[in-house]
Amino acid sequence: MNTQLLLIQVFNGLVNGAFYALLSLGLAVIFGMLRIVNFMHGALYMLGAFTAFALGQAFGLGFWPSLILAPVLVGLLGMVLERTLLSRLYGLDPSYNLLLTFGLTLLTQDLVKQFMLSHYAVSSAPYTPPAALAGVVNLGFVVFPKYRLFVIVLSLVICLLTWFIIEKTRVGAIIRASTENPTVTRAFGINVSKWVTGVFGVGVGLAGLAGVLAAPIYSVEPYMGAELIITTFAVVVIGGLGSILGSVITGFAVGVLAAVGSALYPPIANTLVFILMALVLLVRPSGLFGLPEGAK
C-alpha cells in the first residue's frame, strides 16, 4: 500500500471513529452516570437518521435544521422512555435493563421498517448532504470529501465539549453528585430524578446526532445501527466502562486501526476490534482508561 492510499484509509478510519466516539460517548455517559446498559443505543442512532429523513420528506427540512432538531427529538424520546419504563427497574438486576432495551430495539426497528415500506415504499433511502459540503478538499497530502471532514471535526468538537461540561463545570458536578450519592444530593435541595432523566436524554441525543451525520454516508435503513452497536460496546469496554474521555480516544483509535488493518489484511476486518478488546482485557480488565472496581 502506498502512502496516499494509507492516508485515505486513515481518514476513512477517522470517519468511522467519529461515529464510534459519539455512540460510545453516549453509552459512557449513560453507564457512567446511571449504571444502565442501554442496548437500544444502536436503534436510537438509526432513529436519528430516520427522523432527519422523515423531517425532510414531510416538512422539507434540510440537513442543517435536522442536525439540530432530530437529536433533540430523539433525546426527548429517550427521556420519556427513562421516566416511564427504565426508572421502574432501578435497583433491580442490570439484566432487566438490558432485556428491556433489547426488546425496545426490536420494536423500534420493526416500526421504522413498516413505516418506510408503507409511506415511502422503500426499505432503504439515500439522504443528500448539504450543498455547502459537497465535493472534495485538497489538504495537500490527501484529497478527501468535504462532508466526511466535517463529520470528523464536528464529532471531535461535540465529544470534547461533552467531556468538558461533565468534568469541569458546576452542571457536571451536580450530575456526578446526583448519580454517585443521590441521598446527600437531595439534602441540598436538588431534584435528582430530573437530572437523571436529563443525563439519559443527552446520552441518547448523542446517538441521534451520530445517526443524522451518518445518513448521507450510509443511507437510512432500519437496521443501520445493528452491527455498529456491537462494535461500539467493544469500544466502550476497551476504553473503560464509564470513562468519557476513554470512549472518545478509543473510538477514534479503533476506527483508524480497523480501517488500516482491513486494508492490509481484509480477512481480519470484522474481528480486529474484538481481538484488540480481548488483549486489552487480559492486560487491564478495567479498560485502558477505566478505574479498577472499588477505586472510584
Side-chain angles (χ1 to χ4, degrees), residues 117-264:
L117 287 173
S118 61
H119 286 73
Y120 311 119
V122 294
S123 58
S124 177
Y127 188 78
T128 306
L133 298 176
V136 298
V137 58
N138 191 339
L139 299 176
F141 51 89
V142 69
V143 176
F144 205 68
K146 286 183 182 179
Y147 180 75
R148 296 191 176 217
L149 286 175
F150 167 76
V151 168
I152 296 171
V153 173
L154 181 62
S155 173
L156 188 58
V157 169
I158 295 295
C159 289
L160 292 178
L161 181 61
T162 303
W163 170 82
F164 179 82
I165 291 173
I166 291 178
E167 297 293 337
K168 303 295 182 180
T169 67
R170 182 176 180 274
V171 170
I174 294 175
I175 291 172
R176 296 196 305 274
S178 297
T179 55
E180 293 173 6
N181 200 329
T183 303
V184 173
T185 306
R186 288 190 186 96
F188 284 92
I190 295 173
N191 190 326
V192 172
S193 63
K194 288 185 177 180
W195 282 95
V196 168
T197 302
V199 168
F200 191 84
V202 170
V204 301
L206 288 170
L209 175 63
V212 178
L213 292 174
I217 299 176
Y218 302 121
S219 295
V220 180
E221 61 98 7
Y223 303 102
M224 62 187 291
E227 292 186 8
L228 188 63
I229 192 60
I230 302 300
T231 303
T232 303
F233 270 111
V235 169
V236 173
V237 171
I238 293 170
L241 286 171
S243 173
I244 293 173
L245 191 59
S247 295
V248 174
I249 295 173
T250 306
F252 280 102
V254 165
V256 172
L257 288 174
V260 174
S262 63
L264 295 175

Side-chain angles (χ1 to χ4, degrees), residues 271-283:
T271 57
L272 182 60
V273 63
F274 302 105
I275 294 172
L276 179 61
M277 181 180 70
L279 293 174
V280 168
L281 292 179
L282 284 173
V283 177

Side-chain angles (χ1 to χ4, degrees), residues 66-89:
S66 297
L67 185 62
I68 297 173
L69 189 55
V72 170
L73 292 175
V74 173
L76 290 174
L77 173 63
M79 293 169 72
V80 171
L81 293 175
E82 190 278 333
R83 279 291 84 198
T84 58
L85 297 176
L86 288 170
S87 62
R88 300 175 182 271
L89 303 180

